[in-house]
Amino acid sequence: MADAMEKIVSLCKRRGFIFPGSEIYGGLANSWDYGPLGTELKRNIADAWWKRFVRERSDMVGIDAAIIMNPKVWEASGHLAEFTDPLVECKKCHERFRADQVDMKKPCGNCEAKESFTVPKNFNLMFKTFLGATEDASAVAYLRGELAQAMFVDFKLVQETSRQRIPFGIAQQGKCFRNEITPGNFTFRTREFNLMEFEYFVHPQEWEKWFEYWLEEMKAWLRFCGVNSKNLVFHEIPDGDRAHYSRRTIDIEYHYPFGQKELYGLAYRTDYDLKRHTEKSGVDLSYTDPDTKEKYIPHVIEPTFGIDRTLLVVLLEAYREEGEGEERRMYLKLPALLAPYKAAIFPLLKNKPELVAKAEEVYKALKQDFAVAWDDRGNIGKRYYSQDEIGTPYCITVDFDTLEKGDVTVRDRDTAKQERVKIQELESFLREKISKT
Ligand code: GAP
């Protein structure tokens, strides 16, 4: 299974999905740059999520808040005191590990020293920085460790300006930062990562109903991403193991090649955050029901989705190898809506100007509406191979018949079947196919 991970990492580098960060300087451990195809894929995931959970709903609005917030936010939210992982240190080599990831009875994984670990102590994950020219306590600030706090701090402003009534949600996407003790497993755990999450504000008596509702919605999203439910585990987090703000959490875990680990989380945050911010800021963040006049602090259901983990899982699920000998091929069975390119356009022969000109016409027309690729290298078989590898759902070839009849060959990535489609129908053909994914 670890083999599957090696194949994905190698494909990502070879085809420009994800590169090691700062590579020409020897890299920076656990930092990754999304290349041209990875950027398209990541954007498509984020856009599909936004469309599904914000634009298509009337009970959800979005914000795009500052990454650096007033440090009082993190004090009030409990992150400065509680956002910690237990850490142990090897007394010999001083390497640090997450206590929940080492067997204390075994030798140090770095220097092999026996019985060398310190007792666990809590290590705060917030990324500290200084604002402006002075580096003293008054200038300390933090890069956000989660998106959620802006949705709480801005709750009143958003509710009033958008005239939303409870139940409703505030959504956000963006970078978060955590000073992880043991990042690793490619993009699974990094110190800066991309998150999409929303806080869904409900009446206190309705939290259970909405918790179940959002769990089903998260499952539906994962189906849309092409994730096989057999690879998912819904882990009810027991008392004592949940984050400090949560009264119920289900971690949605995935069978990665490196083990069963968290993909997403669904938490019932009660009124913990709005209450704390009301107390600490002095601003009343309660809500008054316009019909019943009942005044209360809303409770919160929080579905949270890591973008980098989504992308990794989408690639792992899409990876296919099939056939024997000459017929052997590898392809990415990506949902068409997520694929970096929706189609690739080929002139059958590169040295026939009339074919190249017609193919360019098709390419330029489709480029207005879709992300499309151009390829005129080598033979058609090699071009199919190359597009299969990056998950392009359709390959469109302009040949001599095109010049006479105005149609092209469209080859389907998954079935490798070919059909003729009129050039003027290509746009609606692609639109219809993509909408079905
Ligand atoms: N607001 C809730 C929250 O942040 P979390 O479980 O700590 O909850 C949310 O993180 C999601 O962010 C996780 O389910 C995971 O998908 C992703 N995530 C967390 N830490 C990460 C890291 N170091 N690298 C990449 N993704 C991470």
Side-chain angles (χ1 to χ4, degrees), residues 146 148 178 180 187-190 193 195 197 245 262-265 269 302 304-306 309:
E146 63 167 3
R178 293 182 190 176
E180 299 280 2
T187 55
F188 173 79
R189 193 184 303 285
T190 49
F193 57 94
L195 201 55
E197 69 186 9
Y245 49 71
E262 181 185 342
L263 169 59
Y264 296 156
R269 289 181 84 127
E302 178 193 64
T304 180
F305 311 68
R309 290 188 191 175

Side-chain angles (χ1 to χ4, degrees), residues 7-27:
K7 285 177 180 172
I8 293 293
V9 175
S10 142
L11 173 74
C12 280
K13 181 157 190 211
R14 196 171 65 248
R15 297 305 311 269
F17 281 94
I18 302 172
F19 309 119
S22 321
E23 202 189 31
I24 63 165
Y25 286 102

